[in-house]
Amino acid sequence: TARLSPAQRLHWLQGAALTTVGSAILFWLAVWFAAWRVRRVWREEGVSKRVRWLIRTFCRPVFFRTIFRRWMRRKLQRNPIGWLEQRSWSGRLVTWSWMGLAMFFSCLALLVPETLGDSGQATHVLASAMGVSLALGAAGSFRRERETGVLELLLVSPLGERRIVSGRLRGLWTQFLPGAALLIAIWLYVYAWAKAYDSGSELAAAGVIFLSACSFVTVPVIGLYFSLRCRSFPAAFMGTLLTALVAPVTIASLAADPWLAAIAAAFWQWLLAYLAWHQLCRLLKKRAFALRQ
């Protein structure tokens, strides 16, 4: 603030004061809401009738039940660890939500490609949303099994540590694969459109596509490590987000060439994924994962 004029200093101090007051108010509201929730739910209660009705009405399969049961039974037989990730309606909802989003953008790309090819902004937004969704799914992956004790039962089964990790990774990749594959196909189409009509954004779009494909493989591995290492889900999610996404993007922003930036960020992700894989197997072998609080 030494180089600012008196008017600019006053404006800066007013902004800092408003930020401080707003943060204090939000902190007080958060504490008050937490205390109010503790008073209402100080003991564990069952699911209400309204929630049970909503789940029974909107979250249970209605059509093609026989095909659905055969499909889930086949998944259970081929990959029981991955089946645990996809057996709930919320896990399947993630798959179909990304599939619907990808179909929407595919229609948009076919009808008006210039809206998606403009400086790669839509590509960046979709890549960031996919990365955050992968981090959310991976960070909370082993949480339920760890809290209920199912993870200890899996470790004494004949599967072994590496098969448990690889099975859960295949479950996560399968969960996001339909939407991710369709989105990458859309991005390749947008990249071809940008290459033909806007040569200035083709390198940036290609770098984002390459980095997104690497993130699809590496982010679940890093997220699984934090899901075992951290006690709480917010800590695991923030660790995954900062390590697997924020740090590579920060490294990429230091390079002027888009391809060089994408390669540097991808190298960071692959290195961390390799280390996380070995640490995952070591934690499971030594039973050194964080237990529930």
Side-chain angles (χ1 to χ4, degrees):
T1 60
R3 298 181 181 179
L4 299 178
S5 63
Q8 291 175 334
R9 290 183 184 179
L10 180 61
H11 182 72
W12 183 85
L13 290 174
Q14 289 177 349
L18 288 176
T19 303
T20 304
V21 173
S23 301
I25 293 175
L26 288 177
F27 176 76
W28 180 83
L29 289 175
V31 172
W32 176 84
F33 180 75
W36 176 75
R37 287 293 299 170
V38 168
R39 285 196 302 268
R40 286 179 59 90
V41 293
W42 61 274
R43 60 181 179 181
E44 186 176 358
E45 298 179 356
V47 182
S48 63
K49 292 184 179 180
R50 180 180 299 178
V51 174
R52 286 199 300 268
W53 179 83
L54 290 173
I55 294 176
R56 184 172 60 253
T57 305
F58 298 103
C59 302
R60 287 186 178 181
V62 178
F63 305 104
F64 308 108
R65 293 185 179 181
T66 304
I67 298 176
F68 173 74
R69 293 192 185 99
R70 291 177 181 175
W71 179 54
M72 295 301 295
R73 191 180 300 113
R74 183 170 178 268
K75 282 183 172 292
L76 177 60
Q77 294 173 353
R78 297 186 61 182
N79 184 12
I81 309 300
W83 173 84
L84 291 173
E85 187 72 25
Q86 302 174 4
R87 65 185 178 87
S88 62
W89 65 267
S90 57
R92 297 190 295 272
L93 181 63
V94 173
T95 303
W96 293 110
S97 298
W98 274 106
M99 193 65 182
L101 183 65
M103 292 180 65
F104 168 76
F105 275 95
S106 63
C107 296
L108 190 62
L110 292 174
L111 295 175
V112 226
E114 60 272 9
T115 58
L116 298 180
D118 186 14
S119 303
Q121 293 298 323
T123 308
H124 285 80
V125 172
L126 285 175
S128 302
M130 175 65 78
V132 172
S133 184
L134 278 168
L136 277 170
S141 183
F142 276 129
R143 180 176 57 90
R144 182 177 300 175
E145 287 84 356
R146 191 185 62 198
E147 292 179 351
T148 57
V150 175
L151 188 56
E152 285 86 348
L153 296 178
L154 292 175
L155 290 173
V156 298
S157 66
L159 293 175
E161 296 82 11
R162 292 183 178 272
R163 288 190 61 185
I164 291 175
V165 175
S166 61
R168 181 49 58 93
L169 285 175
R170 290 203 312 269
L172 286 169
W173 287 330
T174 305
Q175 189 177 15
F176 289 90
L177 181 60
L182 188 54
L183 283 176
I184 290 178
I186 299 166
W187 294 338
L188 289 174
Y189 172 76
V190 173
Y191 166 69
W193 184 92
K195 187 176 182 179
Y197 297 99
D198 186 8
S199 60
S201 62
E202 60 174 281
L203 288 178
V208 171
I209 294 171
F210 172 72
L211 188 57
S212 300
C214 293
S215 300
F216 176 77
V217 179
T218 57
V219 170
V221 184
I222 301 172
L224 282 182
Y225 167 74
F226 281 103
S227 71
L228 287 182
R229 195 64 179 174
C230 301
R231 290 182 178 272
S232 62
F233 169 73
F237 171 65
M238 291 304 299
T240 306
L241 194 66
L242 294 175
T243 306
L245 295 175
V246 176
V249 171
T250 305
I251 294 174
S253 64
L254 301 177
D257 183 73
W259 262 111
L260 182 61
I263 291 173
F267 175 77
W268 172 268
Q269 287 183 329
W270 281 101
L271 177 62
L272 288 180
Y274 175 78
L275 296 175
W277 167 268
H278 286 278
Q279 288 296 318
L280 268 172
C281 297
R282 186 185 67 84
L283 289 175
L284 289 176
K285 186 175 183 179
K286 294 185 177 181
R287 311 301 194 261
F289 49 85
L291 298 175
R292 63 178 180 180
Q293 295 178 342

